[in-house]
Amino acid sequence: MNSPGFYTIFWREMLSIRKKFWKFLAGSLVMPSLYLVTFGWGLGRGINVHGLDYLVFVLPGIIALSAMNNSFSGVAVTLNISKLYYRTIEEILVSPVSHWSIALGRVLSGCFKGLFSALLLILISLMLHIQIRYNAAFFGILFLTCFIFASLGVLAAMLAKSHEDMTNFTNFVILPMSFLSGTFFPPERLPEPFATLIMVYPLTHAAVSLRSLVAGNGVPFISLLVILFYGVVLFILGGKAIKRLEL
Amino acid sequence: MDEWMIRTFDLTKKFGSLTAVNRLNLSIHQGEIFGLLGPNGAGKTTTIRMLTTLAKISDGRAFVSGINVEDRPLEVKKIIGVVPQGLNLEIELTAEENLDFHGRLHKMPKKQRRDRASEILGFVGLDDKSKVQVDHFSGGMKRRLLIARALMHRPRILFMDEPTVGLDPQIRRKIWGLIQDLKDQGITILITTHYIEEAEALCHRVGILRKGELIALDSPNGLKRDLGEYAVECQNRNGCDVRFFKERREAVAYAGSLNQDLMIRQTNLEDVFLNLTGEKIHHE
């Protein structure tokens, strides 16, 4: 049986990872490990948040952050370079693969990269005896988080007209989200109106959901709705942006 | 099956206030090698990009093998092969992997991909380089691999955008040889080029584009015949003066009446272009 188009796009990305596996592994590990050490041990030692040791509190946020960064950059950077520099995307655009398949293949590859990074971090935390409960719902939310930011990566790459545009997008959208979305501190600690504004960010709801799950509670309904909404809308926008692309 | 493999009706492309292609009407037969000749910026690449669905059509219509390019782009993509001007190969992959990826995009089964890749690499003379990473290829090798990739899924129509640009003459002739071999396989080929000799050597018919408009269309010999097959070129104080004659004896008689350095030669497509536009096609 012939593979569907999206699988071929996904396969191509996996081939690239296989060829550069050790670089990929190292790259996936560096930033989350630094966050863990810096914020978990360096700054957070001896601090309690919501009755929890800060390291236990911050870990779900860092996992969400790592998933976001790796799924976004894993798609946005490679797609942007493919579009603007190597022009390899043209080869895919003239082949009989629909723009939805192209989007889905790229998003799934971004999900793989985000999940891989998150799983590495979980493995490290387990080896360091950081006690956190994981369940199927946790990984479901994690996958949806990766899906959101991989879709955002597709959209950003399609809209960026230069590498500078990509850098600016990262600086103005991804970076503020990284620090202000309840990743390192509870969202309610921010003064109004910022505490309300950051609830617009999908990463806020991802961090809140993951934190709620490890505490033995369910996913807050509003957060689930927001995550699903962003996932669907950003994927559709990314697919449409591919369809409209003219190089 | 439709005899016309490519047809355009008032095909137009605008970028804001700039009209890159203006009401282009083409009809290209099955098995024909058709050249679009013109200087940089004439609209050749834009025309190919519209026909291969990479650029939106501003106005007019285009059909590839009877299929409307705008209405059914996926069906068009199944039957076309594209050799782009840029070297957009996957450089971290080997030659074989590039072809395998292309075959997967066209839903070719595994065994068919393997067999076809081997065959097509042999056709372009890269069979001993199948496992070499493309990053290590020379420019000429990359160009040949681009042709191999475009032919991998046995397209009925091949679009080649400046297939020999930037190559030295020896490699250029090798590529011409490959294109001439394709003639016998019945593939319809649309080539864009700004190399006069390339259009003369390869094409059954040539369309001359200038500033987005088709200003002449005929076989290379037909275009030269219209102008006059013989040229008398002489140097004078104002530069170089060229006059054209349909009969050799007329050219000789005119040359005999002049009292200056001169040359009698055969008309070429550059003369045709210069006569039509008042400009030379500049070579890089």
Side-chain angles (χ1 to χ4, degrees), chain A residues 2 5 8-9 11-12 15-16 19-20 86-88 90-91 93-97 243 246-247, chain B residues 13 49 54-56 74 77-78 88-93 97 100-102 104-107 149:
Chain A
N2 301 330
T8 299
I9 307 295
W11 168 87
R12 169 64 190 95
L15 186 58
S16 186
K19 283 180 178 280
K20 297 178 289 197
Y86 292 117
R87 311 282 284 214
T88 45
E90 284 192 13
E91 165 62 2
L93 291 173
V94 296
S95 66
V97 178
K243 187 177 184 187
E246 273 195 67
L247 294 167
Chain B
K13 179 63 180 176
R49 294 178 79 77
L54 286 175
K56 301 283 183 286
L74 284 180
K77 292 176 194 184
K78 285 179 189 171
N88 69 346
L89 295 160
E90 302 274 0
I91 59 168
E92 64 180 9
L93 303 186
E97 286 168 342
D100 188 57
F101 179 47
H102 180 95
R104 284 170 182 260
L105 289 172
H106 284 266
K107 297 184 173 45
R149 186 181 72 180

Side-chain angles (χ1 to χ4, degrees), chain A residues 27-221:
Chain A
S28 302
L29 219 44
V30 168
M31 194 179 285
S33 303
L34 281 174
Y35 278 129
L36 199 58
V37 168
T38 306
F39 291 97
W41 286 319
L43 294 173
R45 198 183 280 275
I47 295 173
N48 281 308
V49 179
H50 291 168
L52 295 170
D53 179 74
Y54 184 69
L55 196 53
V56 174
F57 169 84
V58 84
L59 184 57
I62 293 176
I63 290 171
L65 177 61
S66 177
M68 174 188 81
N69 279 328
N70 283 280
S71 48
F72 174 80
S73 63
V75 172
V77 171
T78 56
L79 198 47
N80 189 242
I81 291 173
S82 167
K83 189 184 91 167
L84 294 177
Y85 185 66
Y86 292 117
R87 311 282 284 214
T88 45
I89 194 173
E90 284 192 13
E91 165 62 2
I92 298 170
L93 291 173
V94 296
S95 66
V97 178
S98 73
H99 54 286
W100 298 118
S101 293
I102 298 170
L104 184 59
R106 283 287 187 166
V107 166
L108 290 177
S109 74
C111 289
F112 176 86
K113 292 172 185 175
L115 285 172
F116 186 86
S117 166
L119 286 172
L120 274 181
L121 196 51
I122 289 170
L123 204 62
I124 292 173
S125 69
L126 288 173
M127 285 162 59
L128 297 172
H129 305 293
I130 302 171
Q131 299 296 329
I132 290 203
R133 273 177 299 182
Y134 302 103
N135 55 27
F138 182 95
F139 292 104
I141 293 294
L142 201 54
F143 173 79
L144 287 174
T145 304
C146 293
F147 193 93
I148 287 170
F149 290 102
S151 299
L152 184 61
V154 170
L155 180 62
M158 289 300 106
L159 296 179
K161 292 187 171 28
S162 65
H163 299 306
E164 195 184 342
D165 279 353
M166 274 312 303
T167 306
N168 288 338
F169 187 89
T170 304
N171 286 340
F172 288 117
V173 177
I174 301 297
L175 200 58
M177 219 189 306
S178 301
F179 286 97
L180 300 175
S181 295
T183 340
F184 301 108
F185 53 84
E188 59 270 17
R189 285 209 177 173
L190 283 175
E192 291 293 352
F194 301 105
T196 303
L197 276 174
I198 66 164
M199 297 311 284
V200 169
Y201 287 147
L203 186 63
T204 307
H205 294 275
V208 162
S209 299
L210 292 179
R211 210 161 267 138
S212 176
L213 285 167
V214 302
N217 304 317
V219 177
F221 184 66

Side-chain angles (χ1 to χ4, degrees), chain B residues 32-218:
Chain B
E32 183 176 4
I33 299 183
F34 186 92
L36 271 181
L37 179 67
N40 292 331
K44 308 185 298 294
T45 296
T46 305
T47 300
I48 277 204
R49 294 178 79 77
M50 284 191 282
L51 291 170
T52 56
T53 77
L54 286 175
K56 301 283 183 286
I57 294 171
S58 301
D59 203 0
R61 292 175 302 157
F63 295 85
V64 170
S65 192
I67 305 168
N68 188 308
V69 167
E70 282 185 297
D71 293 346
R72 291 145 70 190
L74 284 180
E75 286 182 51
V76 167
K77 292 176 194 184
K78 285 179 189 171
I79 60 168
I80 65 171
V82 182
V83 182
Q85 187 173 351
L87 301 173
N88 69 346
L89 295 160
E90 302 274 0
I91 59 168
E92 64 180 9
L93 303 186
T94 64
E96 204 170 58
E97 286 168 342
N98 267 273
L99 297 184
D100 188 57
F101 179 47
H102 180 95
R104 284 170 182 260
L105 289 172
H106 284 266
K107 297 184 173 45
M108 293 171 71
K110 185 175 181 178
K111 185 173 185 312
Q112 193 182 357
R113 291 198 308 266
R114 200 173 52 226
D115 294 344
R116 180 61 176 163
S118 177
E119 178 191 355
I120 208 70
L121 284 173
F123 174 72
V124 300
L126 290 173
D127 38 341
D128 59 337
K129 302 281 189 292
S130 62
K131 306 250 187 264
V132 175
Q133 194 177 331
V134 168
D135 204 17
H136 301 135
F137 277 22
S138 66
M141 289 161 71
K142 284 178 182 173
R143 286 263 166 228
R144 282 186 279 155
L145 185 59
L146 281 175
I147 294 172
R149 186 181 72 180
L151 294 170
M152 178 73 179
H153 61 287
R154 299 186 194 275
R156 281 154 52 189
I157 303 161
L158 194 61
F159 294 91
M160 306 182 86
D161 192 4
E162 306 268 9
T164 63
V165 71
L167 298 180
D168 61 41
Q170 193 183 7
I171 305 298
R172 179 170 297 148
R173 275 172 170 67
K174 268 191 182 167
I175 305 283
W176 288 2
L178 289 175
I179 296 172
Q180 278 160 339
D181 287 342
L182 289 174
K183 260 188 199 177
D184 303 327
Q185 296 179 25
I187 299 175
T188 306
I189 303 176
L190 172 58
I191 295 180
T192 71
T193 183
H194 63 272
Y195 295 123
I196 300 284
E197 61 274 21
E198 187 161 271
E200 285 191 285
L202 297 174
C203 302
H204 295 108
R205 287 191 300 156
V206 172
I208 297 181
L209 276 184
R210 178 177 177 260
K211 293 183 181 173
E213 299 201 354
L214 189 68
I215 57 174
L217 193 161
D218 203 341

